[in-house]
Amino acid sequence: MGIDINHKKDRKVHRKEPVSQNVYLRLLVKLYRFLSRRTNAKFNQVILKRLFMSRQNRPAISLARIVRQMKLKQREGKTVVVVGTITDDKRIFDVPKLKVCALRLTEGARSRIIKAGGSVITFEQLAVEAPLGQNTIIMQGRRTRREANRHFGAPGLPNSHAKPFVRLRSRNHEMARGRRKSRAYKA
């Protein structure tokens, strides 16, 4: 008698295709799958991997962050590539001339980039202009900026800054046992 193999942990948890059924996204995947196979450029593999990602792992990046990152002398004249959304930022007043490639741009961000004399291109245009990712800078937003991340951890523990799920911050809410000496103990 043979031994029955345990298949409980067989599942491979990395995406081979996007979950989304968006036709345009799927066409981009086809294009970058071809490019990553036929060219040995790391750029195309990174773009392909990011096209597979969930919305949570493709956070939006603000125009202010892009402007700040592009201030370096050696980045001048390069194309900013974002596999995600570029959002407008009212905190910055003057936007320099930028060349941007992104999946999505908010109306405000698009108009400000074009008004500054910059240009916005799509990923298929980028594939024609820079099939190996020449003169490009890949950027992404911060994944930990989600409000949900503030709750990660154990609230109430010493030195923990995790945000508790409470309606109000007052003496009546999560401020009794373990938080005051007069209520059993203070942690």
Side-chain angles (χ1 to χ4, degrees):
M1 286 207 25
I3 298 164
D4 194 12
I5 300 162
N6 184 4
H7 292 288
K8 189 162 64 174
K9 297 182 179 73
D10 279 2
R11 183 168 161 257
K12 300 280 189 290
V13 195
H14 67 273
R15 290 188 178 184
K16 290 184 172 67
E17 60 175 0
V19 172
S20 167
Q21 294 299 315
N22 185 332
V23 186
Y24 301 106
L25 184 68
R26 296 240 161 201
L27 281 169
L28 280 183
V29 166
K30 264 188 183 178
L31 171 63
Y32 277 92
R33 190 167 266 154
F34 172 81
L35 285 172
S36 66
R37 189 179 73 242
R38 294 295 294 269
T39 66
N40 55 1
K42 188 84 185 338
F43 173 83
N44 292 322
Q45 289 166 12
V46 171
I47 297 295
L48 181 65
K49 189 182 76 177
R50 290 193 188 176
L51 285 170
F52 294 164
M53 286 182 181
S54 60
R55 290 260 310 266
Q56 205 163 294
N57 290 320
R58 286 188 287 108
I61 186 168
S62 76
L63 203 52
R65 185 173 288 276
I66 292 170
V67 168
R68 196 168 70 237
Q69 297 283 354
M70 293 303 283
K71 275 192 177 141
L72 292 170
K73 198 79 182 150
Q74 64 265 30
R75 290 184 174 178
E76 209 173 303
K78 294 198 174 185
T79 308
V80 177
V81 180
V82 178
V83 185
T85 309
I86 296 174
T87 55
D88 192 10
D89 202 327
K90 293 280 189 280
R91 295 171 296 183
I92 54 163
F93 299 111
D94 49 332
V95 178
K97 187 180 175 182
L98 292 168
K99 189 174 186 181
V100 176
C101 171
L103 281 181
R104 241 183 102 249
L105 282 96
T106 59
E107 251 341 283
R110 186 186 294 272
S111 63
R112 285 184 78 179
I113 289 167
I114 291 164
K115 197 176 176 184
S119 60
V120 177
I121 62 168
T122 61
F123 274 96
E124 43 269 40
Q125 288 168 315
L126 181 76
V128 174
E129 284 180 27
L132 304 175
Q134 313 94 308
N135 293 323
T136 57
I137 303 282
I138 304 181
M139 289 187 197
Q140 61 181 341
R142 291 170 67 185
R143 295 180 193 190
T144 54
R145 296 324 299 155
R146 288 170 58 226
E147 205 278 332
N149 279 61
R150 296 182 184 183
H151 298 281
F152 294 168
L157 256 77
N159 303 321
S160 167
H161 297 289
K163 186 179 178 182
F165 290 103
V166 287
R167 285 166 299 157
L168 294 167
R169 188 189 167 98
S170 71
R171 195 183 51 76
N172 300 331
H173 295 88
E174 295 194 12
M175 287 299 287
R177 196 167 178 276
R179 302 293 282 162
R180 286 182 286 167
K181 248 310 194 257
S182 62
R183 299 287 177 272
Y185 70 98
K186 176 157 179 16

